[in-house]
Amino acid sequence: MTNADAWNYAIGMIKVDGLEPTKDFKEYIEKEKRGEVTMEDAKRFLDKKYKMKESTNA
């Protein structure tokens, strides 16, 4: 399975749930498919964008 095939599969699985990746995420996926960024870069992008912030209330 190529990297592009893996991304296409992942997007298909997201769409099965009735969801659609954001435009920013789709653009980032295309960069990763072209080899402009690494999978680790993609993970950092997602973590930065979607990771929940820890509560400071204890």
Side-chain angles (χ1 to χ4, degrees):
M1 178 182 287
T2 68
N3 198 25
D5 290 338
W7 275 116
N8 292 337
Y9 179 81
I11 291 170
M13 294 302 295
I14 291 169
K15 288 182 176 183
V16 165
D17 290 332
L19 303 172
E20 184 70 31
T22 65
K23 180 181 173 190
D24 289 343
F25 187 50
K26 287 180 183 178
E27 289 172 4
Y28 209 87
I29 290 169
E30 290 305 315
K31 286 182 181 180
E32 205 276 331
K33 285 181 181 180
R34 293 188 301 263
E36 296 172 13
V37 295
T38 66
M39 185 56 98
E40 188 60 33
D41 293 331
K43 181 183 180 312
R44 281 192 294 272
F45 171 81
L46 292 172
D47 284 347
K48 182 179 178 184
K49 188 164 180 92
Y50 297 109
K51 194 170 188 176
M52 292 178 57
K53 295 188 181 359
E54 291 183 29
S55 175
T56 57
N57 299 359

